[in-house]
Amino acid sequence: EGQVGESGGGLVQPGRSLRLSCAASGFKFDNHAMHWVRQRPGKGLEWVSVISWNSGRVDYADSVRGRFTISRDNAKNFVYLQMNSLRAEDTASYYCAKDKSGHYENPGGGYMDVWGKGTTVNVSS
Amino acid sequence: SFELTQPPSVSVSPGQTAKITCSGDALPNHYAYWYQQKPGQAPVLVVFKNTERPSGIPERFSGSGSGTTVTLTISGVQAEDEADYYCQSVDITATFSVVFGGGTKLTVL
């Protein structure tokens, strides 16, 4: 089944940037799409972004499109989330999660079967 | 994108059956998935493709339903099942997006 683990969270001022990293192990990384999901304090889950197995397709939530960029390095088994122009409302725990499929847009994919423990991003002056 | 609607809370006594519903207009066209999240922990997939259970998930967790409403049923609820439960589906009407329900807090009395 495998494991994923996030890093890179912290305190950042509004308008600044931060890059989150997610290390994957225990599964064939380049067979699976990867997601980022966030959870604001005391709130529910909010999907952020997804990248296909070969980076050929990426998608974003409306709330982050144009500010966040997802990428992956299949040689290193990492997925990243570059977050620019951060806002107070981006404050959340950010989870990395493995999609069941490499092609998330197909009927066999689009859901997460392995999650990391999350990394916390606090956007505040 | 479409919405998924869940009741904010459900309460049951130990040993009883808990049913958590998830409603959405697009559910007839897309699978639903269910996640359990305990305080301070990451979500865990407990049901996928409406009715299937991942390995390692107790048999008391089951999914059902078709049409615009799906249901997560927990039979013989145990104290350890107290958690938040989220349904999830996908929206591919314009671009692709993942949609979560607002979550249901299951309280074991």
Side-chain angles (χ1 to χ4, degrees), chain B residues 8-70:
Chain B
S9 63
V10 169
S11 299
V12 295
S13 298
Q16 292 190 328
T17 296
K19 290 183 180 291
I20 300 173
T21 58
C22 174
S23 298
D25 289 342
L27 286 179
N29 303 314
H30 301 290
Y31 288 122
Y33 311 91
W34 290 93
Y35 302 89
Q36 175 196 67
Q37 186 181 33
K38 297 181 179 179
Q41 297 185 22
V44 173
L45 180 70
V46 293
V47 168
F48 65 100
K49 294 183 181 179
N50 288 14
T51 61
E52 300 190 47
R53 191 175 52 250
S55 61
I57 300 302
E59 291 184 6
R60 63 180 182 273
F61 289 87
S62 63
S64 63
S66 58
T68 58
T69 299
V70 295

Side-chain angles (χ1 to χ4, degrees), chain A residues 73-93:
Chain A
D73 184 336
N74 284 351
K76 296 181 178 179
N77 287 7
F78 269 82
V79 61
Y80 305 99
L81 187 68
Q82 177 67 41
M83 305 185 295
N84 298 334
S85 304
L86 282 162
R87 307 166 179 167
E89 54 264 37
D90 296 319
T91 294
S93 292

Side-chain angles (χ1 to χ4, degrees), chain A residues 38-41 87-94 121-124:
Chain A
R38 70 184 180 184
Q39 187 169 35
R40 296 185 176 104
R87 307 166 179 167
E89 54 264 37
D90 296 319
T91 294
S93 292
Y94 284 75
V121 174
N122 186 359
V123 184
S124 174

Side-chain angles (χ1 to χ4, degrees), chain A residues 16-92:
Chain A
R16 304 298 291 265
S17 298
L18 202 62
R19 188 177 86 153
L20 305 182
S21 300
C22 171
S25 62
F27 64 95
K28 197 170 191 314
F29 183 67
D30 57 6
N31 274 4
H32 294 273
M34 298 295 293
H35 298 261
W36 287 97
V37 176
R38 70 184 180 184
Q39 187 169 35
R40 296 185 176 104
K43 302 299 184 182
L45 300 175
E46 179 189 11
W47 175 76
V48 173
S49 183
V50 63
I51 186 167
S52 67
W53 67 279
N54 63 350
S55 305
R57 178 168 179 168
V58 298
D59 281 286
Y60 299 95
D62 289 344
S63 57
V64 307
R65 187 177 294 113
R67 299 187 300 123
F68 290 12
T69 302
I70 191 171
S71 61
R72 65 189 294 160
D73 184 336
N74 284 351
K76 296 181 178 179
N77 287 7
F78 269 82
V79 61
Y80 305 99
L81 187 68
Q82 177 67 41
M83 305 185 295
N84 298 334
S85 304
L86 282 162
R87 307 166 179 167
E89 54 264 37
D90 296 319
T91 294

Side-chain angles (χ1 to χ4, degrees), chain A residues 108-125:
Chain A
Y111 68 102
M112 304 104 185
D113 63 345
V114 176
W115 294 66
K117 297 185 186 302
T119 187
T120 300
V121 174
N122 186 359
V123 184
S124 174
S125 54

